[in-house]
Amino acid sequence: MSFLRDARKTWTPLIKVAAASAADVWGDYVFYSRTSLDTDADIEKYELPLFIFFIISCVMGAITIFTLLCKGCCPQKNNKSKEEEGGMSSMMSCLSCQCLISRMNQILSMEIIFEDIPQFVLAGMISHERGLLTPAAVFNLTTSAFNFIFNILDMINPDDDDDDDDDDDDDVDVDSEKKNDDNDNKGELVYNNSATRSSKTNNVVVEEA
């Protein structure tokens, strides 16, 4: 049961972000395909920008999904230990899963800047030219909005490793406090022993006198 709970805790947020990214790519494709069928000259000029950002959407979506798979399959701490041991070269480490995982927030921010925001702008401009909001535009805006929100939430979500580091720091603080308490107790015992010894010697001296 603990294995299933840990797997659910790990994979549920990753699947959520991956599904939003895949739906965003599909929404971009639907909007591009519907727009390319329009014969209006004012709309045809947006066909090339839509195609370019659709390609960017495919590339960023593939990188995002691959990074999420690496994040779920590759334990981050083990990768850190391997890098600390120096088992990888600098070029191989840049191509490793750990490099993608460490740059997860940067990848999500690039997806927002280079894919989601341009789709918002293009959908707004095309809808303004047409004078109406088509179902394809609504679908594109909806998927882009969900992907935008999920990426932001995943970027501000703290990692489990940060919590583990905080727990380790707390454990170190507790251990140091215990050591200090033990040292204080030892000092009190020594002081009490010396005091009792001095009192015994004084009592002996008084009886002899």
Side-chain angles (χ1 to χ4, degrees), residues 26-95:
W26 178 249
D28 296 340
Y29 170 74
V30 171
F31 187 57
Y32 163 71
S33 62
R34 296 297 186 274
T35 305
S36 62
L37 297 176
D38 199 329
T39 58
D40 190 355
D42 294 333
I43 304 300
E44 287 181 351
K45 62 182 179 182
Y46 295 103
E47 184 176 352
L48 181 59
L50 281 176
F51 178 74
I52 293 174
F53 285 109
F54 169 66
I55 298 299
I56 295 175
S57 175
C58 293
V59 173
M60 296 304 302
I63 295 174
T64 301
I65 294 174
F66 179 73
T67 306
L68 293 173
L69 291 175
C70 292
K71 189 175 182 180
C73 296
C74 300
Q76 192 167 358
K77 287 186 176 181
N78 293 335
N79 290 331
K80 285 183 178 179
S81 62
K82 290 180 181 179
E83 288 181 1
E84 290 175 356
E85 291 175 358
M88 294 183 181
S89 63
S90 60
M91 183 177 295
M92 291 299 295
S93 63
C94 290
L95 297 177

Side-chain angles (χ1 to χ4, degrees), residues 8 10 15 21 24 33 35 57 64 81 83 90-91 94 101 103 111 123 132 143 147 157 167 191:
R8 186 173 65 251
T10 301
I15 293 174
S21 182
D24 185 31
S33 62
T35 305
S57 175
T64 301
S81 62
E83 288 181 1
S90 60
M91 183 177 295
C94 290
I101 294 172
R103 298 181 181 277
E111 187 178 12
L132 57 89
T143 54
N147 188 48
N157 186 32
D167 293 337
Y191 176 77

Side-chain angles (χ1 to χ4, degrees), residues 35-203:
T35 305
S36 62
L37 297 176
D38 199 329
T39 58
D40 190 355
D42 294 333
I43 304 300
E44 287 181 351
K45 62 182 179 182
Y46 295 103
E47 184 176 352
L48 181 59
L50 281 176
F51 178 74
I52 293 174
F53 285 109
F54 169 66
I55 298 299
I56 295 175
S57 175
C58 293
V59 173
M60 296 304 302
I63 295 174
T64 301
I65 294 174
F66 179 73
T67 306
L68 293 173
L69 291 175
C70 292
K71 189 175 182 180
C73 296
C74 300
Q76 192 167 358
K77 287 186 176 181
N78 293 335
N79 290 331
K80 285 183 178 179
S81 62
K82 290 180 181 179
E83 288 181 1
E84 290 175 356
E85 291 175 358
M88 294 183 181
S89 63
S90 60
M91 183 177 295
M92 291 299 295
S93 63
C94 290
L95 297 177
S96 63
C97 293
Q98 176 60 31
C99 181
L100 292 175
I101 294 172
S102 62
R103 298 181 181 277
M104 183 67 196
N105 288 342
Q106 296 179 2
I107 294 173
L108 293 178
S109 62
M110 289 173 62
E111 187 178 12
I112 291 173
I113 295 172
F114 296 108
E115 194 272 319
D116 289 329
I117 294 177
Q119 288 293 333
F120 289 145
V121 175
L122 287 173
M125 294 174 66
I126 293 173
S127 299
H128 179 72
E129 290 287 345
R130 287 175 172 171
L132 57 89
L133 195 63
T134 61
V138 173
F139 181 64
N140 185 29
L141 290 173
T142 302
T143 54
S144 296
F146 274 105
N147 188 48
F148 180 87
I149 293 172
F150 287 161
N151 286 345
I152 292 294
L153 293 176
D154 192 71
M155 289 169 62
I156 64 177
N157 186 32
D159 294 332
D160 294 335
D161 294 334
D162 296 336
D163 297 335
D164 295 336
D165 293 338
D166 294 336
D167 293 337
D168 293 338
D169 294 337
D170 294 337
D171 293 337
V172 171
D173 294 336
V174 171
D175 292 337
S176 62
E177 290 178 359
K178 288 182 179 179
K179 289 181 180 180
N180 292 329
D181 293 337
D182 293 338
N183 292 330
D184 293 338
N185 293 330
K186 288 180 180 179
E188 291 177 357
L189 291 174
V190 172
Y191 176 77
N192 292 331
N193 290 332
S194 62
T196 54
R197 288 177 183 175
S198 61
S199 63
K200 288 180 180 179
T201 54
N202 291 331
N203 290 331

